[in-house]
Amino acid sequence: MASELNIQICIDVLDSAEELNQQERDAMLLAQETANDAYAPYSNFLVGAALVLEDDTMFKGSNQENAAYPSGLCAERTALFAMSAYYPNKKIKLIAVTARRRSEQHFLPAMPCGACRQVMAEYEHKQEEPIPVLLQGPEGKFYRLRSVSDLLPFQFNREHL
Ligand code: THU
């Protein structure tokens, strides 16, 4: 009989912003503000991402859409690629992501797409230290993952090349 490989992922569920630490709160606030800057005339789905770097500076990104739809880019990758271009040697301490519809003020669960998870995993491997991920959850809650690996278990990365 085949054996089973069970993969466990760990997510902290925080009921409100009060349960976040100061840095997480600041990063989530920056992500929420940054969602306002999204260039999303086609989906009207505004996504904001904030990165906290090893020296506590923050970096932000929002989704950038295009009339040729696949040419656009998600907020997470916009932030990560820009950060890596500006600061190729800085490590990332936290990624925070949120989203909302343009017509509504409340924030929605922000679940990074598969391609963004793959890109996050790349930088996690590059820096050889886990990157915690803080996601806007439903009803004012937040999800905290201790590592990108928890967002992308069973992942393909440089170790498989
Ligand atoms: N989007 C992101 O920015 N991040 C994700 O992880 C999921 C989707 C953007 C892409 C597009 O501009 C809009 O949300 C609708 O898919």
Side-chain angles (χ1 to χ4, degrees), residues 23 27 49-60 76-77 79-85 87-96 116 119-134 146-148:
Q23 191 153 65
L51 311 176
V52 181
L53 307 185
E54 59 185 342
D55 57 4
D56 292 330
T57 57
M58 300 222 274
F59 209 91
K60 62 184 184 173
E76 298 91 319
R77 277 176 289 162
L80 286 163
F81 291 152
M83 187 286 298
S84 187
Y87 307 113
N89 300 314
K90 281 194 190 173
K91 292 187 179 180
I92 302 165
K93 279 208 310 205
L94 180 70
I95 301 176
C116 288
V119 169
M120 290 179 194
E122 181 68 30
Y123 292 112
E124 181 165 89
H125 276 271
K126 179 185 175 222
Q127 71 178 40
E128 297 178 330
E129 269 174 51
I131 305 178
V133 182
L134 181 65
R146 294 163 198 181
S147 157
V148 173

Side-chain angles (χ1 to χ4, degrees), residues 29-99:
L29 200 64
L30 180 63
Q32 291 175 342
E33 286 168 7
T34 302
N36 296 329
D37 302 331
Y39 178 61
Y42 304 105
S43 72
N44 290 307
F45 189 71
L46 314 180
V47 186
L51 311 176
V52 181
L53 307 185
E54 59 185 342
D55 57 4
D56 292 330
T57 57
M58 300 222 274
F59 209 91
K60 62 184 184 173
S62 55
N63 50 330
Q64 303 296 316
E65 296 186 351
N66 193 283
Y69 293 177
S71 301
L73 197 63
C74 292
E76 298 91 319
R77 277 176 289 162
T78 301
L80 286 163
F81 291 152
M83 187 286 298
S84 187
Y86 275 92
Y87 307 113
N89 300 314
K90 281 194 190 173
K91 292 187 179 180
I92 302 165
K93 279 208 310 205
L94 180 70
I95 301 176
V97 190
T98 190

